[in-house]
Amino acid sequence: MKAVCWYGIHDVRTENVPDPIMVSPRDMILRVTSSSVCGSDLHLYDGMVVTMREGDIIGHEFMGEVVEVGKEVHKVKPGDRVIVPSLVACGHCTFCAEGNTSWCDNSNPNAWVLEKMYGQSPAGFFGYSHGFGGYAGCFAEYMRVPQADVGAFKAPAGYTDEQLLFASDAAPTGYQAAEYANIRPGQTVAVWGCGAVGLFAMKSAWLLGAGRVIAIDRVPARLRMAREQCGAEVLNFEQVDVVEALIEMTGGRGPDACIEAVGMEADQGGLEGAYDRVKQTLRLETDRPYALREAIRACRKGGTVVVMGVYAGFVDKFPIGAIFNKGLTIRAGQQHGHHYIPQLLRYVEEGRLDMTFPITHRFSLDEAQTAFELSRKREDDLVRAVFFH
Amino acid sequence: MRDDAQTDTNLGQTERLFSLVGGGLVLLAALRRPSISTLPVALGGGYLLYRGLARQDPVYEALNIRRNDDGGKLLVRRSATINRPRAEVYAFWRNFENLPGFMEHLQSVTVAAEDDRRSHWVTRAPLGQTVEWDAELVEEQAGELLAWRSLPGADVENEGRVEFRDALDGSGTIVDVTLEYRPPLGAPSVVVARLFGEQPWQQVRDDLRRFKQIMEAGEVPTIFAQTSGRLQEVANERARLRGE
């Protein structure tokens, strides 16, 4: 079959590889019908994620049609059209039982790697390095999905792939960010990053009762999408001092909740930008945290900062003093997709959530290199690239 | 968790003696010709001397290794929390024939047909060798405690003990495992360690993780034989999966 394999920095290739096989009675084989290049895939593309191996099939946001199921799979059958979250969950450990599936104890075959780094390992992810499990990803014609009864969600009838695809990752991640923000009616939520996750965080903030949503980015097309599709007031961080602006816009208090949907490869000019780029290049820090520093500085006293952009290692000049003295609550983590997908699909069916709008570009798997280059450079007004397989 | 009986020392007598004498000699030799190039040697000698005098090795301490007496026995303790009822977790472990399903170095355990307190254990050793012994259950408290010990004549004397208790917050059953191996007649403990993987303390942690995965998820997660752009690797793994 055809699949997109990772070979190194800015080197992904569409190749012929063996078809996937089932190795457990809880597995299923999925014919992937559509998938999307997530911002976190760009960290792989830029070589920021360790424990990748040449030839790894990448991709983790997808949906498709079930073609084969193991004999322990009872909830889906061949022919079903399903959405699968970007991670594997066992469904039975204490974390899965309480809905926190990205903390699953039992789905990462290489848990020991992350235990060395983090103390404990999160769940295994599709197509996201061997530390995170090494599972073959979704930029392929077919893929193996372990624990299918836990991970496959039937697509509601009458909707296209475009209308449902982001239920796999971007939408639940954004929704979780808004839920973690602990929004009370009428409160102000600021969101750093107008990629798909940030945009869904804005939509979700409205669904959860926000009174005001402010978006921060520097790419005009993305700011426009935040304003027009997500009802956000927008700030271009290249034109204004974001922290000053936010404090002024909120009666001198700062936003009640600040959602950071940017992650470890944040863009920043000036001295601070140069400082972090040098340290990151020398591996003195692994992640560049400008947006996070800003969010912490802008957030009102007693407010909540939600870290939804992907971080992997260590950051420098972390403003712990502001967190302590303003009594901030920090919440963070990978999406617990299994917990949020049913709710999000209900919102879609009720007409309260459109998940189609971030798609700006459509590619075939053969055009993977182009899709990645455009996504990386954020050129051509690209917000999200989708593969139709 | 620490061994309560011997709190201050994690070195065996032989190892301690070697450390004292060897470290002292190395240090003296280095100090007779002090220079930048002999500094690391002096530091190394000093370290050996220190651990000999202090009767304990900070590196071992950090790695949770104990080798007190008995010619370098190896003691490993590990703990895990399993989200299943205590009786079920206990019952699975009580059938020793289940152990090779999650203890990687074990090839098989066969429980004696006439007496379920006796069993025969076979482990994988380097170079395709096996190490075998007979063991007997020495303590059994249903749902709470299992302890077994190799019988005289074992290639490697060893014993194991598992305690089962309820997690206070209702998150399942906590199992505390202690394994102890004694090499034949003073063989260096590192030889024993090699029998059970490069790092026995990591090995037991991985074994316990697999135990948890089997109890909770029904399977040990794997990416073995999955597809990738590494065509030869995929072919090799799939051949192994088919038993070729």
Side-chain angles (χ1 to χ4, degrees):
Chain A
M1 66 164 185
K2 202 177 281 183
V4 179
C5 301
W6 180 96
Y7 280 91
I9 297 177
H10 302 164
D11 183 5
V12 295
R13 304 174 202 164
T14 307
E15 297 189 319
N16 272 311
V17 302
D19 285 349
I21 56 171
M22 297 196 294
V23 296
S24 151
R26 295 167 192 80
D27 287 354
M28 71 174 179
I29 300 293
L30 187 73
R31 182 174 69 82
V32 184
T33 52
S34 59
S35 60
S36 177
V37 179
C38 173
S40 59
D41 289 324
L42 299 176
H43 303 319
L44 303 178
Y45 189 64
D46 289 341
M48 302 301 294
V49 179
V50 294
T51 71
M52 287 295 291
R53 294 182 61 204
E54 290 183 13
D56 283 346
I57 300 170
I58 55 178
H60 59 263
E61 184 157 40
F62 60 101
M63 60 183 293
E65 185 190 314
V66 180
V67 292
E68 195 184 353
V69 298
K71 60 179 190 297
E72 298 281 322
V73 177
H74 306 296
K75 293 183 184 162
V76 289
K77 57 183 189 307
D80 284 347
R81 201 166 152 244
V82 297
I83 296 149
V84 181
S86 52
L87 61 144
V88 183
C90 80
H92 299 286
C93 65
T94 45
F95 297 113
C96 283
E98 63 195 16
N100 294 314
T101 52
S102 78
W103 305 337
C104 176
D105 272 336
N106 298 320
S107 62
N108 185 350
N110 300 320
W112 63 275
V113 176
L114 293 191
E115 282 175 1
K116 300 266 184 231
M117 284 174 73
Y118 301 152
Q120 296 84 24
S121 168
F125 288 75
F126 290 109
Y128 212 75
S129 85
H130 289 265
F132 285 94
Y135 290 109
C138 66
F139 297 155
E141 290 177 274
Y142 296 92
M143 70 186 289
R144 164 190 170 235
V145 176
Q147 299 287 4
D149 264 350
V150 184
F153 292 82
K154 280 185 194 159
Y159 293 89
T160 63
D161 273 25
E162 296 201 5
Q163 289 173 297
L164 301 174
L165 173 61
F166 290 133
S168 165
D169 191 1
T173 306
Y175 191 83
Q176 179 173 317
E179 198 177 86
Y180 278 12
N182 195 23
I183 302 162
R184 292 204 298 275
Q187 286 192 324
T188 299
V189 180
V191 180
W192 277 254
C194 299
V197 169
L199 294 166
F200 281 116
M202 296 169 207
K203 288 227 168 208
S204 306
W206 289 119
L207 285 168
L208 294 171
R212 226 175 143 188
V213 174
I214 304 169
I216 298 124
D217 205 300
R218 68 166 175 182
V219 181
R222 294 180 178 215
L223 289 169
R224 192 164 61 241
M225 200 173 263
R227 190 172 57 236
E228 291 170 4
Q229 302 284 339
C230 304
E233 299 162 63
V234 301
L235 293 176
N236 184 330
F237 69 79
E238 287 188 327
Q239 293 165 4
V240 298
D241 179 323
V242 171
V243 176
E244 278 294 308
L246 284 171
I247 289 172
E248 282 312 303
M249 288 166 83
T250 51
R253 296 197 316 162
D256 301 288
C258 292
I259 294 172
E260 198 271 37
V262 176
M264 63 187 188
E265 288 190 86
D267 295 328
Q268 175 78 359
L271 199 59
E272 188 187 353
Y275 174 85
D276 282 294
R277 268 190 190 276
V278 168
K279 294 211 79 163
Q280 194 172 36
T281 306
L282 296 174
R283 294 285 186 259
L284 294 173
E285 67 179 342
T286 59
D287 306 353
R288 306 195 295 259
Y290 320 114
L292 182 54
R293 288 186 193 128
E294 259 179 19
I296 290 166
R297 211 143 51 84
C299 194
R300 78 155 162 84
K301 288 182 278 188
T304 303
V305 173
V306 182
V307 189
M308 273 296 139
V310 172
Y311 285 87
F314 304 91
V315 300
D316 198 6
K317 302 287 180 285
F318 188 68
I320 186 67
I323 295 171
F324 175 77
N325 288 297
K326 295 201 290 181
L328 300 182
T329 299
I330 308 279
R331 294 214 64 187
Q334 299 275 5
Q335 64 134 346
H336 307 302
H338 306 72
H339 179 66
Y340 293 107
I341 287 174
Q343 172 71 51
L344 290 168
L345 293 177
R346 269 197 301 278
Y347 279 136
V348 170
E349 291 186 283
E350 290 163 10
R352 297 172 67 191
L353 178 64
D354 165 35
M355 293 200 287
T356 318
F357 73 98
I359 302 175
T360 51
H361 289 65
R362 293 159 182 82
F363 296 99
S364 71
L365 284 180
D366 289 313
E367 300 167 298
Q369 182 82 35
T370 314
F372 268 85
E373 266 310 294
L374 273 185
S375 300
R376 177 175 80 88
K377 294 176 177 158
R378 302 183 187 103
E379 280 175 359
D380 195 27
D381 289 354
L382 181 143
V383 176
R384 262 306 178 96
V386 169
F387 292 118
F388 288 96
H389 296 220
Chain B
M1 281 197 134
R2 294 288 173 220
D3 192 337
D4 308 321
Q6 297 145 318
T7 41
D8 315 300
T9 166
N10 59 15
L11 283 188
Q13 275 302 333
T14 321
E15 195 170 349
R16 184 179 162 233
L17 225 102
F18 268 108
S19 234
L20 270 174
V21 178
L25 287 174
V26 168
L27 185 61
L28 275 177
L31 290 179
R32 282 168 67 174
R33 288 170 49 202
S35 77
I36 288 291
S37 58
T38 55
L39 182 64
V41 181
L43 287 175
Y47 173 71
L48 287 175
L49 193 60
Y50 165 78
R51 74 203 273 275
L53 289 170
R55 294 164 193 258
Q56 69 127 1
D57 183 317
V59 177
Y60 285 2
E61 187 70 19
L63 293 173
N64 209 7
I65 307 177
R66 292 192 160 271
R67 291 171 171 181
N68 315 23
D69 305 324
D70 296 329
K73 79 182 178 187
L74 186 83
L75 185 95
V76 184
R77 286 165 176 261
R78 285 295 183 204
S79 185
T81 306
I82 319 265
N83 190 23
R84 301 297 307 169
R86 189 152 49 93
E88 189 184 321
V89 177
Y90 175 88
F92 191 87
W93 200 297
R94 173 64 182 82
N95 180 1
F96 287 120
E97 294 192 356
N98 284 331
L99 302 192
F102 60 90
M103 288 186 163
E104 203 166 37
H105 68 277
L106 279 182
Q107 190 170 305
S108 67
V109 176
T110 314
V111 175
E114 66 285 0
D115 177 4
D116 79 345
R117 298 173 68 84
R118 294 217 164 199
S119 48
H120 183 69
W121 300 51
V122 182
T123 75
R124 296 186 189 88
L127 306 173
Q129 302 293 301
T130 56
V131 175
E132 308 190 16
W133 63 80
D134 289 314
E136 67 170 343
L137 198 60
V138 291
E139 251 189 292
E140 178 179 17
Q141 292 170 34
E144 289 176 12
L145 172 71
L146 284 169
W148 62 94
R149 189 164 56 206
S150 62
L151 291 169
D155 290 340
V156 176
E157 265 185 72
N158 69 86
E159 54 192 85
R161 180 183 177 90
V162 189
E163 287 166 52
F164 304 81
R165 57 196 161 93
D166 294 329
L168 293 176
D169 64 354
S171 60
T173 304
I174 296 175
V175 293
D176 292 311
V177 178
T178 309
L179 299 177
E180 201 180 307
Y181 301 95
R182 276 183 299 276
L185 274 176
S189 55
V190 68
V191 173
V192 191
R194 283 291 147 80
L195 291 178
F196 305 101
E198 290 288 307
Q199 299 177 307
W201 45 95
Q202 181 66 41
Q203 176 79 57
V204 178
R205 169 165 289 175
D206 292 342
D207 286 347
L208 269 186
R209 185 190 296 109
R210 281 186 286 270
F211 175 59
K212 176 179 165 73
Q213 287 164 340
I214 290 170
M215 295 303 301
E216 293 183 347
E219 66 183 50
V220 175
T222 182
I223 57 167
F224 190 74
Q226 77 170 359
T227 184
S228 77
R230 298 179 294 277
L231 305 184
Q232 192 55 54
E233 180 185 291
V234 176
N236 292 346
E237 290 187 356
R238 288 185 178 181
R240 272 180 64 197
L241 197 67
R242 289 191 299 267
E244 291 166 17

